[in-house]
């Protein structure tokens, strides 16, 4: 059984990040959780780890409504980063919006694996972990 | 009538028969012979033949052929006779023919010719043969009633006399009184007969006396052989008779041998001649006592002159006796006169004889050479003054010529009939259509019954009866149907009388009146037509008398008024006129009657039978008779009720149109391509800003259009499609400004084919404005809709976000065993809920601004700012910030307090929230300047500032630069919306990392009225 090594959480709401970290620790979701308070910060982090040849995150949890650069803009820019390096990264949308237009929009991005509506629960993280491990095995 | 007369005169007939018998007996006994100087000799130049013409009486002519006259010669004789006889009235002609035995057969032919040539000129022809011994077969003679073969001259004479007495016509010639007999009634007839018998008795006595004288002469002739000279000189009647006695050698009638017989015959004929001469002489002397008689010696010496010389020539007998006769004769006639002396035969001449006063008179001279008992040759001359006769003949010839030319030249057809109803003359020309056809059939000498049609004959007969009754000219009309044409003649019939006033036949004059007839017929037809027109016209045609009473009305009157013509006639016209118009009609009548006007005209109201008014256009005119005297008036009435009604309607519709024109907002125009604007209403003037009609009429059409090609473009559309509706065209006013006109035009052609563009233009500038506003409103709505979408989206997200956070926190608190963690989670929950509260607060403000009416009041900025800062106390950094307020005011400020609060709280909270982390002296300056018009509010911070790329977006909904601090993303949006609501303005001036200044300008509502809603 393979463990999720690194998870990147991008959300402008600090409370949200706190909650994610707590739940991740409770469910032993990942070895490391990195949080960014804006999309710009997230992109900066990803470019930095690529430059430093660090391990890329296995999963990214991304909010949609953020100031300056929102979730969608982040995805556009992320696609333009080194696709080889980040080819195994799975993106999960984690948002308070249950708007169907947002759900549909997310489906148009091939890199988005799933769409999770807040509040996040331990069960959700467990499902994602199991699924990730199953898929890794099958691979 | 003649027959009747004959019957009633049987007694006389007996007497006459007896008398005739006696004459014949005496002639047979050679007791009766006639001797007379011939009146004319007819001869040819070679003297081959000779015909002696004796005028025994004016109606008995004796012709004696002395030479051999052949047929050719007879023509000449005929011509001569014609001249002689023209002055005679149908004489009886006694013709003695010198016929040789061997010529008998030839004479048959000649006699027929003779009869043919002579019979038209005589009443009766008696044929006598010079040689009575020759037997003439009567069957060889022409079978004609007028032809009688007699054996001797006395017999012929006797017959003549008998004829004269028997025939009333002849008798009438002798006696005018007898003519009355013709016309006398039967009652008078017997008396007349009695008179006639007496007269006949007298005649018989005269005749017997003449006979006795003749017989006495004969006795003297045979008994006495002495010269008559003595007795001749001794005077008058008897002596002149005596001088004829010298005639020939006496013969003794005792030897009866053949030769002797012949001689005796010869002698007896001679004697007869002498007798004739004697008789004529006797007659001449007895009837023409005025004749001048000379006895001359052969050298011309006058040995005797009758006493009438004084009367004729003015000489005394003494002056003439023993002078030469030739000195009296006109020099030009002397040769002819001498010839007369050379001839042994008796001759008749005409030559001029000089009177004592030197003038010449024409004399008819009979000369005869006589050997007297002494054996001396003497010339006996009997002359008669014929100057007057000559003149009369000349004038007669002249007038005959005139008559002839007149006769032939007159246009009317003249038919002359004799008393036996036979046509004797006519001027009808062969090529003329007339009652007779002179070409195809013989007409002359035939009765009108034979030559005229039956109808014409009947009409003529009737006319003749009328003429006989009235003795006046009778006329009748006769219609002649020719093959191609119908001709009308007016025929006049009148009696013709001879010189003695005796009925001589009748004359019929036919005048062609076809043209007049046609003209008449045309007049009749035209009258008919006129009548038909009058009866059928819709116009009333009337006449009134002098008093204005109807005297004529055509049927149209009934049509129009409903009154019966019969009831209306003779009533005053004025009775039918509407009372209000009666004065007017009266004046019209007066005008024409007094001659002030030829025609009076007026529109007059009449009352019809149903008591309704009808309008008539009335014309009246004076009506004069042929002499120009006023008889009344004539005139017409034209029913114009409909027109009048139409006029009223028209007037009303004109008023309506005018009223519409005045009130209508649409400009109405009529345009003609050549003349430009031919009609426009007031609205047009107002719309285009023109004041006078003249300047519009001069206006080129182009000037009305704001866009250059519009005139051409729309004209083309009109031409092609005949009409267009509701086209929006930009027009130009006089002052150059433009406006949108909604235009509808239609192309119309008038009767003359001229094209007009009629149209209406409505100024739709207002509508255009409204449309523009609507468009803007739509734009706004679209924006609002978008905003609303965004709002709903954002609201769902942003309201859910803190809620989701709170739920997440509760979730972890539940599973987190540590108390310390739970307290932290509670703080975080509070934070999330405050944010949510802020959002809900903002949304409430937004809704309030959008929905609430503006309520203005005096603003106390100090206390307002105090309330705001109190409200913002929960903000984390508020205690670190220095807030300075500076208010300048020159007037009290009115505005909506709640909205001003919303604006200020948003600006101030932003200024606090977006301070830099590292700012050591965060500060906010609030400067407020108030005057009577406005308030200027500046909120300046020394915070993070705003990137220029974002300054456009900061006032939009849910725009957020960061989530560093609590924000709904609605603050500046709401501030701007609220400022707009208060018709103010909001601007930002910012430099990144240095700070921002938001400036709000609001009107002072003290002097400014906000629109309600």
């Amino acid at each position: 059984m393979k463990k999720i090594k690194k998870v990147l959480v991008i959300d402008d709401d600090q409370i949200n990040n706190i909650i994610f970290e707590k739940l991740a620790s409770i469910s032993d979701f990942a070895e490391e959780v990195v949080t960014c308070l804006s999309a710009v910060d997230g992109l900066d982090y990803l470019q930095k780890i690529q430059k430093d040849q660090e391990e890329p995150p296995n999963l990214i949890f991304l909010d949609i409504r953020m100031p300056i650069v929102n979730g969608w803009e982040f995805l556009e820019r992320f696609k333009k980063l080194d696709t080889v390096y980040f080819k195994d990264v799975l993106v999960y949308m984690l948002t308070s919006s249950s708007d169907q237009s947002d759900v549909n929009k997310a489906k148009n991005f091939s890199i988005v694996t799933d769409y999770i509506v807040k509040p996040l629960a331990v069960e959700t993280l467990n499902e994602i972990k199991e699924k990730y491990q199953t898929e890794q095995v099958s691979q | 009538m003649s027959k009747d007369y004959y019957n009633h005169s049987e007694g006389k007939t007996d007497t006459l028969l007896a008398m005739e018998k006696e004459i014949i007996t005496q002639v047979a006994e050679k007791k009766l012979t006639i001797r007379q100087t011939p009146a004319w000799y007819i001869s040819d130049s070679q003297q081959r033949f000779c015909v002696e013409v004796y005028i025994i009486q004016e109606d008995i002519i004796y012709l004696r052929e002395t030479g051999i006259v052949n047929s050719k010669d007879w023509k000449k004789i005929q011509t001569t006779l014609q001249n002689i006889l023209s002055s005679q009235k149908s004489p009886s002609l006694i013709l003695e023919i010198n016929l040789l035995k061997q010529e008998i057969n030839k004479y048959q032919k000649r006699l027929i010719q003779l009869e043919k040539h002579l019979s038209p000129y005589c009443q009766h022809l008696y044929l006598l043969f010079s040689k009575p011994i020759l037997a003439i077969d009567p069957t060889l003679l022409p079978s004609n009633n007028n032809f009688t073969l007699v054996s001797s001259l006395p017999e012929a004479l006797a017959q003549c006399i008998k004829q004269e007495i028997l025939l009333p016509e002849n008798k009438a010639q002798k006696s005018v009184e007898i003519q009355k007999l013709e016309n006398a009634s039967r009652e008078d007839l017997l008396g007349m007969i009695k008179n006639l018998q007496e007269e006949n008795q007298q005649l018989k006595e005269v005749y017997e006396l003449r006979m006795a004288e003749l017989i006495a002469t004969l006795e003297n002739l045979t008994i006495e052989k002495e010269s008559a000279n003595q007795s001749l000189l001794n005077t008058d009647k008897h002596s002149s008779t005596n001088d004829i006695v010298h005639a020939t050698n006496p013969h003794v009638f005792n030897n009866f041998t053949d030769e002797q017989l012949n001689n005796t015959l010869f002698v007896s004929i001679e004697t007869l001649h002498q007798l004739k001469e004697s008789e004529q002489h006797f007659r001449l002397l007895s009837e023409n006592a005025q004749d001048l008689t000379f006895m001359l010696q052969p050298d011309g010496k006058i040995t005797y002159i009758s006493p009438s010389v004084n009367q004729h020539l003015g000489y005394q007998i003494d002056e003439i006796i023993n002078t030469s006769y030739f000195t009296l004769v006109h020099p030009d006639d002397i040769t002819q006169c001498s010839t007369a002396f050379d001839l042994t035969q008796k001759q008749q001449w005409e030559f001029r004889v000089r009177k004592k006063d030197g003038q010449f008179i024409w004399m008819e001279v009979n000369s005869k050479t006589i050997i007297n008992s002494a054996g001396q040759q003497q010339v006996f001359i009997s002359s008669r003054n014929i100057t007057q006769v000559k003149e009369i003949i000349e004038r007669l010839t002249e007038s005959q010529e005139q008559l002839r030319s007149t006769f032939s030249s007159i246009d009317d057809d003249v038919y002359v009939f004799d008393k036996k109803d036979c046509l004797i003359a006519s001027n009808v020309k062969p090529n003329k259509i007339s009652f007779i056809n002179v070409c195809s059939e013989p007409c002359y000498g035939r009765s009108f019954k034979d030559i005229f049609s039956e109808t014409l004959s009947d009409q003529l007969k009737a006319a003749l009866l009328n003429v006989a009754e009235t003795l006046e000219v009778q006329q009748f009309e006769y219609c002649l149907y020719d093959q191609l044409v119908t001709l009308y003649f007016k025929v006049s019939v009148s009696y013709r009388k001879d010189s003695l006033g005796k009925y001589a036949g009748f004359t019929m004059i036919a005048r062609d009146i076809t043209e007049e007839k046609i003209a008449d017929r045309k007049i009749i037809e035209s009258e008919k037509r006129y009548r038909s027109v009058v009866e059928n016209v819709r116009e009333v045609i009337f006449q009134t008398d002098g008093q204005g009473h109807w005297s004529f009305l055509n049927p149209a009157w009934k049509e129009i008024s409903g009154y019966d013509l019969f009831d209306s006639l003779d009533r005053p016209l004025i009775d039918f006129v509407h009372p209000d118009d009666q004065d007017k009609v009266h004046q019209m009548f007066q005008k024409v009657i007094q001659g002030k006007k030829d025609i009076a005209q007026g529109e007059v109201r009449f009352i019809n039978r149903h008591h309704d008014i009808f309008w008539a256009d009335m014309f009246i005119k004076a009506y004069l008779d042929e002499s120009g005297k006023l008889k009344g008036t004539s005139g017409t009435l034209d029913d114009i009720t409909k027109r009048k009604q139409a006029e009223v309607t028209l007037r009303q519709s004109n008023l309506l149109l005018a009223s519409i024109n005045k009130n209508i907002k649409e400009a109405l125009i009529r345009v003609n391509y050549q003349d430009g604007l031919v009609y426009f209403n007031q609205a047009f003037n107002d719309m285009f800003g023109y004041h006078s009609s003249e300047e519009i009429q001069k206006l080129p059409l182009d000037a009305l259009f704001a866009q250059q090609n519009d005139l051409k473009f729309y004209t083309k559309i009109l031409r092609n499609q005949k009409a267009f509706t509701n086209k929006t065209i930009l027009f130009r006013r006089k002052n150059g400004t433009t406006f949108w006109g909604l235009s509808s035009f239609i192309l119309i052609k008038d009767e003359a084919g001229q094209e007009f563009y009629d149209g209406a233009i409505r100024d739709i500038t207002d509508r255009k404005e409204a449309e523009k506003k609507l468009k803007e409103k739509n734009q706004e709505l679209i924006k609002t809709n978008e905003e609303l979408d965004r709002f709903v989206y954002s609201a769902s997200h942003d309201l859910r976000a803190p809620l989701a956070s709170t739920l997440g926190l509760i979730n972890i608190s539940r599973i987190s065993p540590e108390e310390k963690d739970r307290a932290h989670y509670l703080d975080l929950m509070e934070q999330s809920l405050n944010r949510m509260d802020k959002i809900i607060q903002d949304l409430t403000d937004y809704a309030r601004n959008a929905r609430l009416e503006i309520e203005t009041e005096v603003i106390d900025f100090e206390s307002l700012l105090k309330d705001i800062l109190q409200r913002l106390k929960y903000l984390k950094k508020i205690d670190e910030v220095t807030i300075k307020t500076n208010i300048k005011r020159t007037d009290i400020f009115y505005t909506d307090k709640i909205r001003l609060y919303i604006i200020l709280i948003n600006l101030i909270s932003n200024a606090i929230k977006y301070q830099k982390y590292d700012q050591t002296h965060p500060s906010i300056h609030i400067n407020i300047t108030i005057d009577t018009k406005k308030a200027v509010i500046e909120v300046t911070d020394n915070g993070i500032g705003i990137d220029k790329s974002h300054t456009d977006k900061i006032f939009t909904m849910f725009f957020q630069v960061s989530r560093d601090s609590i924000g709904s993303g609605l603050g500046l949006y709401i501030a701007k919306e609220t400022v707009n609501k208060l018709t103010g303005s909001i601007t930002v001036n910012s430099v990144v990392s240095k700070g921002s200044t938001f400036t709000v300008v609001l009107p002072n509502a003290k002097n400014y009225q906000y629109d309600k809603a």
Side-chain angles (χ1 to χ4, degrees), chain B residues 528-541 552-556:
Chain B
K528 234 184 225 172
R529 263 203 302 274
Y530 164 76
R531 176 164 292 278
S532 141
V533 167
V534 166
E535 309 244 307
N536 294 308
V537 283
R538 288 177 49 83
E539 227 175 21
V540 177
I541 297 170
F552 173 81
L553 276 167
N554 69 340

Side-chain angles (χ1 to χ4, degrees), chain B residues 691-745:
Chain B
H691 299 297
S692 83
S693 299
E694 281 184 11
E695 60 182 353
I696 295 169
Q697 278 163 346
K698 285 176 191 164
L699 204 65
L701 290 175
D702 254 333
L704 298 174
F705 291 86
Q707 281 153 333
Q708 220 181 2
N709 290 321
D710 272 5
L711 175 65
K712 274 186 189 170
F713 176 74
Y714 287 110
T715 307
K716 201 173 168 187
I717 291 179
L718 260 185
R719 282 267 170 81
N720 292 339
Q721 300 174 3
K722 310 290 175 209
F724 63 75
T725 50
N726 293 343
K727 299 269 184 198
T728 308
I729 303 172
L730 192 62
F731 291 105
R732 188 199 305 278
R733 295 194 186 90
K734 188 191 175 190
N735 62 16
T737 57
T738 60
F739 67 95
W740 287 100
L742 189 67
S743 310
S744 295
F745 272 79

Side-chain angles (χ1 to χ4, degrees), chain B residues 370-643:
Chain B
I370 300 166
I371 310 292
N372 66 9
S373 46
Q376 288 173 317
Q377 198 182 36
Q378 280 197 325
V379 181
F380 172 73
I381 290 177
S382 164
S383 14
R384 198 195 311 184
N385 183 351
I386 57 159
T387 308
Q388 279 181 337
V389 175
K390 274 265 179 187
E391 282 169 7
I392 287 163
I393 287 170
E394 259 170 48
R395 269 185 296 196
L396 196 66
T397 316
E398 215 172 277
S399 74
Q400 269 180 336
E401 195 50 48
Q402 273 176 0
L403 193 69
R404 201 173 0 255
S405 88
T406 313
F407 190 58
S408 61
S409 66
I410 49 174
D411 282 340
D412 297 349
D413 297 339
V414 181
Y415 304 89
V416 182
F417 292 89
D418 64 12
K419 53 196 167 195
K420 288 177 181 167
D421 297 339
C422 292
L423 181 67
I424 55 172
S426 168
N427 68 337
V428 171
K429 290 167 188 72
N431 58 348
K432 198 173 169 189
I433 297 168
S434 63
F435 299 154
I436 55 169
N437 191 333
V438 288
C439 299
S440 63
E441 52 178 336
C443 299
Y444 295 106
R446 295 180 64 192
S447 166
F448 69 80
K449 288 163 194 144
D450 299 330
I451 57 173
F452 286 165
S453 70
E454 203 176 316
T455 38
L456 178 59
S457 296
D458 289 348
Q459 287 191 42
L460 182 56
K461 261 187 250 174
L464 284 170
L465 279 173
N466 285 332
V467 175
E469 256 179 42
T470 61
L471 293 173
E472 281 169 6
V473 176
Q474 294 294 319
Q475 292 189 329
F476 63 89
E477 280 183 15
Y478 179 70
C479 177
L480 177 69
Y481 299 98
D482 196 61
Q483 284 165 325
L484 296 170
V485 293
T486 303
L487 295 176
Y488 294 89
F489 290 92
K490 182 167 240 170
V491 182
S492 305
V493 185
S494 60
Y495 271 9
R496 194 158 38 78
K497 291 178 179 176
D498 59 21
S499 56
L500 296 168
K502 168 80 184 67
Y503 172 76
F506 65 92
T507 305
M508 180 173 126
I509 298 170
R511 176 190 293 270
D512 185 347
I513 54 160
T514 310
E515 279 179 21
E516 293 157 43
K517 271 275 168 185
I518 287 166
D520 281 357
R521 192 184 295 157
K522 276 180 183 166
I523 287 166
I524 289 163
E525 278 169 11
S526 123
E527 205 269 344
K528 234 184 225 172
R529 263 203 302 274
Y530 164 76
R531 176 164 292 278
S532 141
V533 167
V534 166
E535 309 244 307
N536 294 308
V537 283
R538 288 177 49 83
E539 227 175 21
V540 177
I541 297 170
F542 66 85
Q543 283 182 348
T544 70
D545 59 18
Q547 279 73 51
H549 295 225
W550 300 116
S551 56
F552 173 81
L553 276 167
N554 69 340
W557 169 250
K558 194 184 175 181
E559 294 288 317
I560 291 176
S561 72
Y563 287 110
D564 212 68
L565 294 186
F566 190 73
D567 295 341
S568 304
L569 284 169
D570 298 329
R571 283 179 63 187
L573 180 148
I574 209 102
D575 282 4
F576 298 88
V577 176
H578 188 279
D580 293 353
D581 284 352
Q582 286 183 351
D583 278 351
K584 186 178 173 183
V585 173
H586 186 71
Q587 282 167 12
M588 284 167 69
F589 266 101
Q590 289 307 311
K591 273 180 197 166
V592 293
I593 285 170
Q594 288 165 11
K596 284 179 190 164
K597 268 187 155 184
D598 287 345
I599 294 175
Q601 184 261 335
E603 290 177 357
V604 177
R605 279 167 293 177
F606 283 80
I607 307 288
N608 72 9
R609 207 175 127 241
H610 309 293
H611 309 291
D612 293 327
I613 291 172
F614 68 91
W615 278 93
D617 194 4
M618 177 166 161
F619 279 87
I620 50 172
K621 194 181 170 182
Y623 171 48
L624 307 173
D625 66 9
E626 282 160 3
S627 63
K629 210 174 125 193
L630 183 87
K631 280 187 82 175
T633 63
S634 61
T636 58
L637 299 175
D638 192 8
D639 187 355
I640 53 164
T641 311
K642 278 183 185 164
R643 196 183 85 195

Side-chain angles (χ1 to χ4, degrees), chain A residues 31-79:
Chain A
E31 291 174 7
E32 188 187 359
V33 174
V34 180
T35 61
C36 292
L37 279 168
S38 76
V40 179
D41 290 352
L43 286 168
D44 287 348
Y45 171 75
L46 288 172
Q47 278 168 317
K48 186 183 167 275
I49 59 167
Q50 188 191 354
K51 194 181 164 191
D52 297 346
Q53 287 296 303
E54 283 184 33
E55 279 277 313
N58 301 113
L59 304 169
I60 296 175
F61 287 86
L62 181 65
D63 191 11
I64 295 170
R65 273 190 63 83
M66 291 181 287
I68 318 298
V69 177
N70 64 24
W72 310 121
E73 286 162 345
F74 172 88
L75 286 172
E76 294 293 334
R77 294 191 195 183
F78 178 68
K79 282 200 289 187

Side-chain angles (χ1 to χ4, degrees), chain B residues 745-957:
Chain B
F745 272 79
I746 185 162
L747 182 121
I748 282 174
K749 274 187 184 179
D750 68 3
E751 296 86 346
Q754 201 177 8
E755 285 184 349
F756 291 100
Y757 309 139
D758 289 349
I761 301 167
R762 185 192 299 174
D763 186 344
I764 53 162
T765 308
D766 291 348
R767 212 175 87 180
K768 271 273 168 181
E769 289 288 312
E771 267 176 19
K772 200 174 151 194
K773 275 183 185 166
L774 192 68
K775 218 175 241 176
E776 286 168 2
K777 258 291 185 314
N778 261 346
Q779 214 67 41
E780 245 172 76
L781 269 177
I782 289 166
K783 185 186 142 208
T784 311
N785 257 349
E786 282 171 2
E787 280 175 357
L788 203 63
D789 281 351
R790 242 180 13 243
F791 176 81
V792 170
Y793 171 78
S794 300
S796 67
H797 189 276
D798 290 12
L799 279 173
R800 255 203 112 246
L803 196 64
S805 296
T806 308
L807 286 171
L809 285 169
I810 292 167
N811 206 9
I812 56 169
S813 312
R814 206 170 276 155
I815 55 173
S816 174
E818 292 181 39
E819 195 66 36
K820 194 188 87 190
D821 287 345
R822 284 186 196 163
H824 177 58
Y825 293 152
L826 281 172
D827 283 345
L828 291 177
M829 275 182 229
E830 192 191 13
Q831 220 177 89
S832 282
L833 290 172
N834 275 336
R835 195 173 146 211
M836 200 170 144
D837 181 41
K838 165 69 176 140
I839 291 166
I840 291 165
Q841 198 78 53
D842 286 352
L843 288 173
T844 312
D845 288 348
Y846 174 80
R848 186 178 291 155
N849 177 51
R851 300 287 299 279
L852 287 181
E853 291 282 318
I854 295 170
E855 300 281 351
T856 61
E857 58 187 293
V858 182
I859 302 300
D860 178 356
F861 276 100
E862 284 84 357
S863 82
L864 186 68
L865 286 171
K866 203 178 167 184
D867 286 352
I868 291 166
L869 291 175
Q870 184 64 36
R871 172 86 188 276
L872 293 175
K873 253 181 160 173
Y874 71 95
L875 288 175
K876 271 187 201 166
K877 295 166 184 172
I878 190 157
D879 297 335
E880 300 165 19
V881 180
T882 311
I883 298 170
K884 287 183 179 173
T885 309
N886 184 22
I887 302 169
K888 291 177 198 164
R889 73 166 68 80
T890 57
D891 201 349
I892 50 168
F893 183 72
Y894 277 80
T895 193
D896 189 321
K897 194 179 173 183
I898 294 169
R899 287 189 167 85
L900 182 61
Y901 181 91
I902 292 168
I903 296 162
L904 286 175
I905 200 169
N906 276 292
L907 292 179
I908 293 166
S909 69
N910 275 355
I912 293 167
K913 278 191 281 184
Y914 297 105
Q915 284 294 335
K916 287 184 282 186
Y917 290 108
D918 51 351
Q919 179 63 260
T920 47
H921 299 292
S923 64
I924 298 168
H925 290 273
I926 303 167
N927 289 319
I928 299 170
T929 311
I930 301 161
D931 60 29
T932 51
K933 286 189 172 176
K934 62 187 184 299
V936 178
I937 302 159
E938 291 175 331
V939 177
T940 308
D941 64 66
N942 56 352
I944 55 172
I946 304 155
D947 193 291
K948 271 192 177 160
S949 62
H950 297 143
T951 46
D952 295 342
K953 300 179 189 167
I954 54 170
F955 296 110
T956 60
M957 201 186 232

